[in-house]
Amino acid sequence: MAYEGRTGDYQGGHGGGYDGAGAGRGRGRRPVTDYGSTMVQWMRNRRPRHKGRPIGEVERPSASFIIDMLPPAADLMKPADAIPAKHLHASLNKIKHPINLVRWTPEGRRLLTGSSSGEFTLWNGMGFNFETIMQAHDAAIRAASYSHSDDWLVSADQDGVVKYWQPNFNNVKAIQAHNDPIRDLAFSPTDTKFVTASDDSTLKIFDFAAGVEEIVLNGHQWDVKAVDWHPTKGLLVSGSKDHQVKLWDPRTTRCLTTLHGHKNAIAKTKFEPNRGQLLATCGRDQTARVFDLRMMRDIVLLKGHEKDISTLTWHPIHVSLLTTGGSDGSLFHYLLDEPNAPTGTTPSIPPYESPDPSNAPAQTIYPAHRIQYAHDFSIWSLDWHPLGHILASGSNDRVTRFWTRARPGETDCFTDRYHVGEEAAAAQGTWDRRGGRKQRQEEEEMEMEDEADGLVDQKMPARQSMLPGLPGLPVPASAFSDGTSVGGSQNIIPGMNSVPPPPPGGLPGLRMPGLDPNHPPDLTQLAAMMGSLPPPPPPMGNGAQGFPPPPPLPGTFPNGVLPPGLLPPGFQLPPGFPPPPPLSAAGGVVPGMNGDGNGVGAGGIRRRVPLPSQQESLAEEQRRGKFRIAR
């Protein structure tokens, strides 16, 4: 794959930008990983699967063979080519929180991370830059899973709340699934149901369309930390703090078997996603095990970790590639068909090759590649890109890291600080501590800039104070004691050129005699002044003597009679105004208005339609044929 590194990065012994004297280096371009060239190369030279791998020159450790790199799906017989040994980029938020979850979107364009603050963050899957952030939950996010149809995302948090999300991250529904924290969840193969594992020692199966609880699985004696649904069958697996791994039938709620192999709490259980014949588990006993469902026993024992194993994941394409993350921040990659026994250790044989496979001990396998210092603290989540060329890891050190395979001819990545540590890398000359701190600071600054640029469209403009009854017209500057209004000085009314706003005391010709605008009178004084005013003029209708009726003005009502339904109920007309006809009169409906006063045309009053609720959105999806049948 094409990888463009940051200009001026320190590359160690292969012609990097570091001259050994601490010279300043410019802020170069962000590292970008483009898989397009490898896919095009594969499409040009691929052959049918039964004819084997594409015919071409054998790859050699030279930079000239970079153009001949192929994606992992091009050769299923070489899982070692997909081992992610090179560190690509470290992404971190402006406000840092532990990363509990990393999930690639189904199309692989973005990476979704969930933090202990309840926030979802989206990172670009090619440039690794920040895209957006949102407050998804009120508590720490513990689990999330995309449906097999790629149409829905379900997430769970520390408070036991499960939320439904559409691909555009529109929250459709939220249900209280448990009263204790939810540790894991998984979809059924048909996406009609999903299962949750909680600290209340139970598993619950929910109907996805209705969002209701259907089945409760009891059997564990302690907190349930992991759960997974078989990719093609009605089979569940769960791992608990009681050291047990259980297989369940979701139809009959019966525990099929209990697998005893670990000697401490189970941290993760995962079915192999391609064939579904293997089951991987890991725990706090510093080991991981692979079980064969056809034999219902462990066939592989994975060793090498010095601390607890906190998570694991299968490669999406290569069946024999398994990756584990430890509580000390180490990242190990295992090849199930290569024992990789250390020097002085007798390699063991797999149970399939023994005379008695049922009673033969499990084969011990050691890591094919170790990244001992991948993170500073526990790795909580691992997830592969759908194409299998990038691995994302989320850790308690509040950093999300991206890993990929080394290009032909690259060897400096095996002696960087992630493999040998900062002190050893500095002693070897492959790591500059001062330059590393500066580079980390530059990366944080770039992430902050990206986050500020990404959130600029989500900010609402400042609301300005408006004159009552005049929407869009701001309050004049004279209305404030300091001469300014919200958002700055407003001395001119918008749309009126240079016409100044009216004075605060009102217009001079509209003042009543005897009233002081600075000291308004009380109600009794105002009533006495209203009583001393002259009587109103006689009505200008046919009843007035000596005055012919004036012609109706354009846009006025004929005969000076108000149309029915225009005045509110209980309104008293002043003396001299004729009452409007009743609503039952012929033609007693104003054009553009219906009988209740609501507008139906251009002359009516527009009313905002209420927004659809979450239930209506889900009902609309069901009317389109999705999640309509409950099974």
Side-chain angles (χ1 to χ4, degrees), residues 502-512:
L507 298 178
L510 296 180
R511 295 182 182 179
M512 297 183 64

Side-chain angles (χ1 to χ4, degrees), residues 277-295:
Q277 298 176 354
L278 302 179
L279 167 66
T281 63
C282 65
R284 298 183 61 182
D285 55 358
Q286 306 176 12
T287 62
R289 295 178 180 268
V290 178
F291 295 84
D292 192 331
L293 299 179
R294 297 166 297 182
M295 302 173 63

Side-chain angles (χ1 to χ4, degrees), residues 134-181:
M134 61 177 295
Q135 188 68 39
H137 287 264
D138 297 332
I141 300 175
R142 293 298 179 185
S145 177
Y146 276 96
S147 62
H148 296 84
S149 63
D150 303 337
D151 291 335
W152 295 95
L153 170 70
V154 173
S155 61
D157 62 12
Q158 182 77 13
D159 294 339
V161 177
V162 173
K163 290 189 176 183
Y164 293 12
W165 305 88
Q166 292 176 332
N168 60 352
F169 292 96
N170 176 35
N171 184 214
V172 177
K173 179 182 288 189
I175 59 176
Q176 186 70 42
H178 295 265
N179 294 325
D180 291 328

Side-chain angles (χ1 to χ4, degrees), residues 10 16-25:
Y10 177 51
Y18 178 59
D19 57 0
R25 51 179 77 81

Side-chain angles (χ1 to χ4, degrees), residues 482-498:
D482 57 352
T484 59
S485 61
V486 178
S489 177
Q490 301 286 346
N491 294 325
I492 298 177
I493 301 178
M496 299 295 291
N497 297 330
S498 59

Side-chain angles (χ1 to χ4, degrees), residues 238-301:
S238 61
S240 172
K241 207 173 178 180
D242 58 3
H243 313 175
Q244 296 180 356
V245 176
K246 292 181 177 291
L247 295 174
W248 306 83
D249 185 355
R251 300 181 181 89
T252 62
T253 71
R254 185 170 62 94
C255 178
L256 300 178
T257 186
T258 301
L259 303 177
H260 301 275
H262 290 278
K263 300 178 181 179
N264 210 323
I266 309 298
K268 192 70 175 178
T269 58
K270 197 76 174 176
F271 285 111
E272 198 278 316
N274 294 309
R275 302 176 183 174
Q277 298 176 354
L278 302 179
L279 167 66
T281 63
C282 65
R284 298 183 61 182
D285 55 358
Q286 306 176 12
T287 62
R289 295 178 180 268
V290 178
F291 295 84
D292 192 331
L293 299 179
R294 297 166 297 182
M295 302 173 63
M296 282 298 177
R297 55 151 298 178
D298 53 339
I299 58 173
V300 171
L301 175 63

Side-chain angles (χ1 to χ4, degrees), residues 122 156 212 240 243 313 349 405 426 434 448 581:
L122 281 177
V212 297
S240 172
H243 313 175
T313 184
I349 62 174
R405 62 161 290 186
R434 182 176 57 180
M448 293 174 62

Side-chain angles (χ1 to χ4, degrees), residues 20-21 30 41 49 69 81 93 108 128 163 191 250 255 281 333 405 526 539 542 556 588 595:
R30 178 185 299 276
Q41 182 76 4
R49 185 66 56 84
M69 292 180 64
D81 290 346
N93 292 89
F128 316 118
K163 290 189 176 183
D191 291 339
C255 178
T281 63
H333 305 286
R405 62 161 290 186
L526 185 60
N542 294 330
T556 59

